[in-house]
Amino acid sequence: MRAWVLRENFGPGGLSLEQIPSPRPGRAEILIQVKASALNRADLLQTHGHYPAPKSDIEVPGLEFAGEVLEVGAEVRGFAVAK
């Protein structure tokens, strides 16, 4: 999948559009095919190194997004795969 990845904390210029492995949802997670995304204040602070990102091997900012559910983990309730 393609994603904007934060490689350096130098503002938005530290973002790089890259091919990264597609994630797989865990037992209590859902996988969403993102159709639209935005950078909010927390994301911009993250690009400057002032906001801790969730633990991950690859730092992909974008707390706000919309899309369709592709997969649901075994323990997920209240979400279903989009039809």
Side-chain angles (χ1 to χ4, degrees), residues 23-44:
R24 303 295 308 174
R27 296 183 58 78
E29 298 176 327
I30 62 175
L31 178 64
I32 298 174
Q33 180 180 14
V34 175
K35 300 289 187 174
S37 182
L39 295 178
N40 65 22
R41 182 165 172 77
D43 296 312
L44 295 176

Side-chain angles (χ1 to χ4, degrees), residues 2 6-7 9 16-17 19-21 23 26 31 36-37 41-42 46 55 58 63 67-68 76 80:
R2 289 186 323 152
L6 182 58
R7 292 293 178 196
N9 291 329
S16 172
L17 185 59
Q19 277 295 128
I20 62 172
L31 178 64
S37 182
R41 182 165 172 77
Q46 183 181 344
K55 296 285 184 198
I58 302 172
L63 296 173
E68 295 180 351
V76 173

Side-chain angles (χ1 to χ4, degrees), residues 4 8 13 25 33 35-36 46 49 62 64-65 67 74:
W4 286 100
E8 300 179 45
Q33 180 180 14
K35 300 289 187 174
Q46 183 181 344
E64 297 177 357
F65 61 89

